[in-house]
Amino acid sequence: MGKSITKVVYKPDLNSSDVFLVIVNPVEYKKWKDGDRTVPLVDVVDSFEILSSNQGPQGLLGRPSKQELDNVFGTHADVDVIQQILEKGKEEAGESITSGKWGSKNDSKGSAFLLDGRGGNRTTGL
């Protein structure tokens, strides 16, 4: 079973498809959101990377420009922007990192095991 992910999605305008999101640790985020501001942000977020999409939270994700962050949040400082996303955004469960959508498409390359395709489900360690 893979590591499940949770994202916090902030949509600045209801009529727009633009969204900003951060990936969070769901347990620590719940504590932080419930008012425990002693939880450090480094424990709340998976990384200090802000992602954006103009196709909604399911669309292609990219990194917003500093100008885009300044226009929407009034700053491009990652800590300040992340705090605003965490405060104003909506939590959404993501898919597991090892699900078919995110999993490796060629696990046999570089693997420590050889898979024998002649039946019998045999494997040989290298």
Side-chain angles (χ1 to χ4, degrees), residues 24-91:
V24 297
N25 173 341
V27 174
E28 297 300 322
Y29 174 67
K30 181 168 177 20
K31 290 179 195 175
W32 189 89
K33 186 75 172 178
D34 289 343
D36 185 2
R37 299 301 163 106
T38 62
V39 178
L41 275 183
V42 72
D43 292 341
V44 174
V45 297
D46 187 61
S47 72
F48 278 85
E49 187 168 13
I50 301 156
L51 302 171
S52 69
S53 173
N54 61 359
Q55 302 170 348
Q58 307 303 322
L60 296 174
L61 299 175
R63 292 187 185 121
S65 68
K66 289 180 180 180
Q67 181 178 4
E68 192 175 1
L69 293 175
D70 282 334
N71 290 341
V72 173
F73 298 100
T75 182
H76 62 264
D78 59 352
V79 172
D80 297 334
V81 171
I82 288 172
Q83 280 187 321
Q84 288 187 51
I85 293 172
L86 294 177
E87 289 168 355
K88 300 175 185 176
K90 185 175 125 183
E91 183 178 1

